[in-house]
Structure formats: structure tokens, C-alpha cells
């Protein structure tokens, strides 16, 4: 084939990579949702502590503040990883679409050449 990038093995590998990336995106989404749910849980716990102390401002202990900051950092890191995976996935999808378009154009040209060789124009 004049287009080595159109080999079945390469195309199958690209599809497999895209599917693998989608699975990673789904997994990161799930981890993000779990981290958000855990953060919401601890926020509610903290609000409950404030209510039980008559609504006074309850300063968080160094440990709980560290936990909140760690969770916040983890959520931010997960969001960045998710955005990077989405960007990577979109780039791979665009490359696959380009390869598909090139293959389709080649097939159309072959059809047109075959029909012209037979003496019947492709567009009637």
C-alpha cells in the first residue's frame, strides 16, 4: 500500500490505544467523583461539628486541614490528568480521522480509475 499508516495492524493498534485511553479517562472520572464525594462527606462532617458547637467557628485541626489540602490537591491533579487524557484522546481521534479520510480518498480514486478503465464514468 502507498500509505503505510493504513496497515491493518497499525489501525488496530490505534483503535486499541484510543479504547485504552477512553478506559483511563473513565477510570479517572470515577476516581474524581469518588474524591469529590469524599470531600463532600468531610465538608458535611465539619459543618456538623460547627453546628454541634453552637455555630461557633471551629478551627480545623492541623491534621484535618492537611487532609483537606491533600484532597484538594488530589482533585486538582485528577482534573489535570483528566484534561490531559481528553486532549491526548482528541489528538489520537483526529489522527485516526485523518487516516480514515486518506484511505477513503484513495478508495474513491481507485473506484473512479476502475470505472474510467471500464469506460463508464463514476458520476452519472
Amino acid at each position: 500500500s502507498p500509505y503505510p499508516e493504513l496497515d491493518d495492524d497499525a489501525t488496530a493498534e490505534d483503535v486499541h490505544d484510543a479504547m485504552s485511553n477512553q478506559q483511563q479517562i473513565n477510570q479517572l472520572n470515577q476516581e474524581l467523583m469518588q474524591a469529590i464525594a469524599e470531600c463532600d462527606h468531610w465538608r458535611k462532617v465539619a459543618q456538623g461539628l460547627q453546628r454541634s458547637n453552637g455555630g461557633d467557628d471551629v478551627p480545623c485541626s492541623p491534621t484535618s486541614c492537611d487532609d483537606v489540602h491533600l484532597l484538594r490537591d488530589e482533585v486538582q491533579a485528577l482534573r489535570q490528568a483528566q484534561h490531559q487524557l481528553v486532549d491526548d484522546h482528541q489528538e489520537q481521534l483526529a489522527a485516526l480521522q485523518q487516516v480514515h479520510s486518506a484511505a477513503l480518498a484513495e478508495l474513491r480514486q481507485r473506484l473512479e480509475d476502475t470505472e474510467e478503465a471500464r469506460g463508464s464514468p463514476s458520476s452519472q
Side-chain angles (χ1 to χ4, degrees):
S1 169
Y3 299 101
E5 67 274 6
L6 298 179
D7 291 343
D8 287 340
D9 291 341
T11 304
E13 185 177 316
D14 291 340
V15 170
H16 178 267
D17 288 346
M19 290 173 58
S20 176
N21 286 338
Q22 185 61 47
Q23 288 175 342
Q24 287 177 327
I25 289 169
N26 293 343
Q27 181 180 355
L28 285 172
N29 275 330
Q30 184 177 9
E31 289 175 17
L32 175 63
M33 293 316 219
Q34 289 172 346
I36 290 171
E38 187 174 338
C39 188
D40 288 342
H41 165 75
W42 288 112
R43 184 178 297 119
K44 288 176 185 175
V45 168
Q47 289 170 349
L49 287 175
Q50 287 178 345
R51 281 195 286 282
S52 69
N53 288 331
D56 295 336
D57 286 336
V58 177
C60 60
S61 70
T63 304
S64 65
C65 281
D66 288 344
D67 289 344
V68 168
H69 291 296
L70 286 173
L71 285 173
R72 203 174 282 155
D73 291 345
E74 183 178 348
V75 167
Q76 183 178 1
L78 286 171
R79 283 185 178 148
Q80 287 174 345
Q82 178 189 19
H83 289 299
Q84 184 61 46
L85 283 172
V86 168
D87 290 345
D88 292 347
H89 177 70
Q90 288 174 343
E91 288 174 12
Q92 290 176 352
L93 184 59
L96 286 172
Q97 288 172 337
Q98 186 177 11
V99 167
H100 176 71
S101 293
L104 190 57
E106 180 184 1
L107 289 173
R108 285 183 178 145
Q109 185 61 47
R110 286 182 187 173
L111 176 62
E112 187 176 307
D113 292 346
T114 301
E115 289 178 347
E116 285 176 5
R118 289 182 180 167
S120 62
S122 61
S123 57
Q124 286 188 8

